[in-house]
Amino acid sequence: MAKFMPIGYGDQAGYDRTDQAVRDAAHAHDARVKQEGVEMGIAGAPVQVRNHDAAGVTTEDGPFMSSALPVAGFAIVEAATLAEAIDIVSRTPCAVAQGVVEVWPLQESP
């Protein structure tokens, strides 16, 4: 099984515009995949970390990347293929509630 890191982007306004039944189904889907072993969580406040040339650690509050929607959450999904990972995340709240989910394949580091 390969590992994938979905990153969900969405905001409260998009969530609120989505029909309650669709949101409920998405949350039920998340509960099922969590029981199957998918690790997921809601994104907290980010901190940028730098240690250029190993000369000393500096930090800065806030995201480095920017997008039209804020990061809402992350997950680690094990799936046989990218298509299977996409199928899993396509039914999550960010995907159905006016947001977007990126799926990043994870590779072993050397």
Side-chain angles (χ1 to χ4, degrees):
M1 294 290 257
K3 289 188 179 183
F4 300 87
M5 185 178 70
I7 304 172
Y9 299 84
D11 61 12
Q12 190 67 45
Y15 182 82
D16 292 342
R17 284 195 314 272
T18 303
D19 183 85
Q20 184 69 46
V22 173
R23 296 188 319 224
D24 290 347
H27 288 293
H29 169 75
D30 274 7
R32 279 191 306 276
V33 297
K34 282 173 86 171
Q35 287 181 331
E36 295 168 1
V38 171
E39 298 178 45
M40 65 176 65
I42 297 170
V47 176
Q48 299 174 39
V49 178
R50 292 176 177 81
N51 186 7
H52 295 172
D53 299 318
V57 176
T58 62
T59 61
E60 183 178 340
D61 291 340
F64 177 73
M65 298 188 327
S66 63
S67 70
L69 293 170
V71 173
F74 300 88
I76 300 295
V77 172
E78 288 192 31
T81 64
L82 176 59
E84 182 182 350
I86 290 169
D87 180 60
I88 292 168
V89 304
S90 70
R91 291 170 271 152
T92 63
C94 282
V96 302
Q98 317 305 313
V100 65
V101 180
E102 295 176 337
V103 178
W104 293 63
L106 295 177
Q107 300 173 358
E108 287 285 326
S109 59

